[in-house]
Amino acid sequence: MAAFRLAHLSDPHLPPLPATRLRDLAGKRAFGYLNWTRNRHKYHRRDVLDALVSDMQAQQPDHIAVTGDLVNLALDAEFNPARQWLEGVGDPTGVTVVPGNHDAYVRATRHRFVSHFGDYLRGDADGATTHFPFVRRRGPVALVGVSSAVPTPPLMATGWLGHAQLGALDTILGQLSREDAFRVLLVHHPLHSDGRAKRLTDSHQLLALLKRHGVELVLHGHDHIHSTMWFDGPGQKIPAIGVPSASALARKHYPAAAYNLFSIERDGNGWRCEQTVRGLGNHDGIREIKQIRLS
């Protein structure tokens, strides 16, 4: 049987920012708007994002995971273009999405992500409803999506799962641990962060669940860097993989846009997982950066 190929990209921060009205820029959005107009618009580029997605689609992955921050300020006018972009990436059967903190930037529009992208984050057994966590089975892979996206005060970008999600996740991971599946947890925030303003505030509780039940892989975004961290599972270490922003030019310590492609297949009684990193080169477009065997 051929290996299952799972692609992962994150944080497209879909450019450009739409025209805004002064009344839309109250509170936290004012800080975000100034940051975008002074800095972020220089290195989040639509042509970069389009080139990355085109290269990813050319690899013909079996499924695509997008771990949040499709929009920037969660303005009403951002969601329809983001939906159109996502439909260009793939249909809801072939793409799974979880929200990022920018998708729930302010309380007024925190629920717009679910209403616009619900069919991309609806579990296989959930019918017409959308809730977190959800489970989607694709080939040998069980994708488990959680939402760490919550509105935060200005200058904060923390995430939070909450007791209800963690309780449901405890049950789901317990069930999946008894099934023959390669379990992939999708979350926007990394499971560990040195930055107090960007951390997942209840990560210690999530890590306790993973140590008890295990998964084979965690995919996240948020930090806009290549990242591999290893955490304790019930029998072996769990890799947690982060990826740069899918629309970014390189700047300072932030690398240029990239995505990951995971090749997953059975290996005896266990799993074999190999990671290929593809991203924007200096002068030669999208290219392979490296390959890594994770298990």
Side-chain angles (χ1 to χ4, degrees), residues 15-29:
L17 199 67
T20 57
R21 300 165 297 184
L22 186 60
R23 67 181 185 220
D24 293 328
L25 299 178
K28 183 173 183 175
R29 280 185 179 146

Side-chain angles (χ1 to χ4, degrees), residues 269-286:
N269 293 325
W271 295 97
R272 179 186 181 97
C273 181
E274 296 182 347
Q275 174 192 5
T276 299
V277 183
R278 295 185 64 84
L280 184 65
N282 292 329
H283 306 289
D284 52 357
I286 309 300

Side-chain angles (χ1 to χ4, degrees), residues 25 35 37 39 63 81 99 124 170 180 191 194 204 210 276 290:
L25 299 178
N35 190 19
T37 55
N39 298 301
H63 199 76
D124 293 333
D170 190 10
D180 183 24
L191 276 57
D194 293 327
H204 62 289
L210 295 180
T276 299
K290 61 181 176 180

Side-chain angles (χ1 to χ4, degrees), residues 1-53:
M1 181 180 295
F4 185 91
R5 288 154 58 83
L6 174 66
H8 171 225
L9 61 82
S10 195
D11 299 77
H13 288 284
L14 200 68
L17 199 67
T20 57
R21 300 165 297 184
L22 186 60
R23 67 181 185 220
D24 293 328
L25 299 178
K28 183 173 183 175
R29 280 185 179 146
F31 290 90
Y33 180 78
L34 287 174
N35 190 19
W36 178 268
T37 55
R38 291 179 178 179
N39 298 301
R40 293 171 71 96
H41 80 279
K42 300 174 185 176
Y43 55 88
H44 285 295
R45 296 263 298 270
R46 182 57 186 260
D47 59 330
V48 171
L49 177 60
D50 289 346
L52 194 78
V53 170

